[in-house]
């Protein structure tokens, strides 16, 4: 398992002190708990992610490419936040000020002691991700925005261009399929969602239907949706 550098350790100490203060900024909003089936194995293309659980929480990852172990990581839960390292990137996930379910308000990604990018998340009245503000450190401090619009049978992702996902009749069973990543919208897929972090169930209310253009097969303890394969504990 990758050792976390001294800068990151100091950041965690500061963060664990600051999170409780931040979480008291105004009244807490009560939100539902969006149950997610506990996925133990996720495959996509040549990548396989194994997830380890304890007491309903993910406690660690192992990520393989073409069958070879690429990296492993533990997951640390502190007051108001989650910390883990994936593929050489250290993630600090700060929770929104909620009661009931947990969802990300701010995600900061570091490589070594340097900020890689930061995302601030906003939600609509139904608890769905509505927009984000993205700061990519190596792009001159430019701020980028994404927006998400939900229709009866489609979802629009607005970045520099508009990407539309048509939804079918298949239920997003256990909320394991990351529907907003399906369009491969560049900033949404690169910064807003990390495939492994999605299973922490931190991105607000999941989409209830799967995209219409994927084939779905289910059996006891497994689901395949297009190029995505899931096994449950």
């Amino acid at each position: 398992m990758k050792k976390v550098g001294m800068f990151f350790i100091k950041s965690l100490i500061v963060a664990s002190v600051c999170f409780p203060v931040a979480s008291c900024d105004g009244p807490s909003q009560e939100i539902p708990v969006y149950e997610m089936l506990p996925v133990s194995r996720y495959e996509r293309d040549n990548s396989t992610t194994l997830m380890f659980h304890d007491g309903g929480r993910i406690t660690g990852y192992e990520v393989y490419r073409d069958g070879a172990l690429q990296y492993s990581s533990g997951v640390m839960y502190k007051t108001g936040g989650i910390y883990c390292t994936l593929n050489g990137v250290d993630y600090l996930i700060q929770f929104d000020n909620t009661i009931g379910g947990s969802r990300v308000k701010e995600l900061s990604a570091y490589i070594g002691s340097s900020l890689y990018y930061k995302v601030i998340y906003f939600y609509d009245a139904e608890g769905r991700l509505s927009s984000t503000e993205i700061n990519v450190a190596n792009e001159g401090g430019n701020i980028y925005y994404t927006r998400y619009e939900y229709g009866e049978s489609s979802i629009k992702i607005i970045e520099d261009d508009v990407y539309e996902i048509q939804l079918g009749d298949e239920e997003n069973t256990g909320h394991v399929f990351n529907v907003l990543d399906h369009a491969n919208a560049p900033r949404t897929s690169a910064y807003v969602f990390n495939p492994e972090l999605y299973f922490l169930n931190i991105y607000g209310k999941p989409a209830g239907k799967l995209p219409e253009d994927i084939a779905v097969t289910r059996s006891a303890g497994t689901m395949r949706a297009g190029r995505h394969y899931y096994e449950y504990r």
Side-chain angles (χ1 to χ4, degrees):
M1 186 176 296
K2 181 182 181 292
K3 293 184 178 179
V4 181
M6 184 58 67
F7 173 83
F8 190 54
I9 292 172
K10 290 179 179 178
S11 297
L12 298 188
I13 294 171
V14 171
S16 65
V17 172
C18 293
F19 279 152
V21 175
S23 65
C24 294
D25 185 14
S28 299
Q29 178 185 0
E30 188 164 359
I31 64 171
V33 176
Y34 305 110
E35 297 290 347
M36 179 180 286
L37 285 174
V39 175
S40 58
R41 183 185 188 95
Y42 168 59
E43 296 180 5
R44 174 178 174 174
D45 302 328
N46 68 336
S47 176
T48 298
T49 301
L50 303 183
M51 281 157 276
F52 305 95
H53 300 256
D54 183 29
R57 287 179 165 182
I58 293 176
T59 57
Y61 297 94
E62 289 181 356
V63 178
Y64 295 79
R65 301 273 191 272
D66 296 317
L69 178 64
Q70 299 299 298
Y71 56 89
S72 60
S73 175
V75 181
M76 293 190 294
Y77 295 84
K78 299 289 186 180
T79 302
I82 300 176
Y83 319 101
C84 64
T85 299
L86 298 171
N87 199 24
V89 180
D90 299 321
Y91 292 94
L92 283 71
I93 302 166
Q94 181 174 345
F95 290 153
D96 202 356
N97 187 18
T98 61
I99 299 172
S102 296
R103 64 190 185 192
V104 58
K105 176 61 178 178
E106 184 174 305
L107 181 149
S108 299
Y110 291 85
I111 296 178
S113 61
S114 300
L115 180 68
Y116 174 24
Y117 66 88
K118 180 171 72 174
V119 184
I120 300 174
Y121 297 78
F122 303 91
Y123 302 88
D124 65 16
E126 293 190 36
R128 301 170 298 194
L129 183 64
S130 60
S131 62
T132 70
E133 178 181 301
I134 304 168
N135 178 358
V136 183
N138 65 358
E139 295 186 11
N142 290 333
I143 303 297
Y144 302 102
Y145 300 91
T146 66
R147 194 168 80 253
Y148 307 91
E149 296 179 354
Y150 301 87
E152 288 278 336
S153 59
S154 67
I155 301 174
K156 287 184 180 179
I157 300 174
I158 298 95
E159 298 186 1
D160 293 337
D161 205 344
V162 178
Y163 304 81
E164 187 163 12
I165 301 168
Q166 296 296 329
L167 302 176
D169 297 325
E170 288 275 1
E171 297 288 335
N172 187 9
T173 304
H175 301 134
V176 299
F177 190 96
N178 185 357
V179 175
L180 289 177
D181 185 49
H182 182 67
N184 293 317
R187 293 197 178 98
T188 294
S189 292
Y191 303 114
V192 175
F193 298 112
N194 176 292
E196 280 75 38
L197 297 182
Y198 179 78
F199 296 104
L200 295 173
N201 197 13
I202 57 172
Y203 291 110
K205 182 179 180 180
K209 299 290 186 179
L210 295 175
E212 68 173 7
D213 58 347
I214 61 172
V216 180
T217 57
R218 294 182 172 93
S219 62
T222 70
M223 181 178 79
R224 182 174 295 279
R227 57 193 177 125
H228 306 266
Y229 172 77
Y230 308 86
E231 290 181 6
Y232 313 120
R233 281 195 301 129

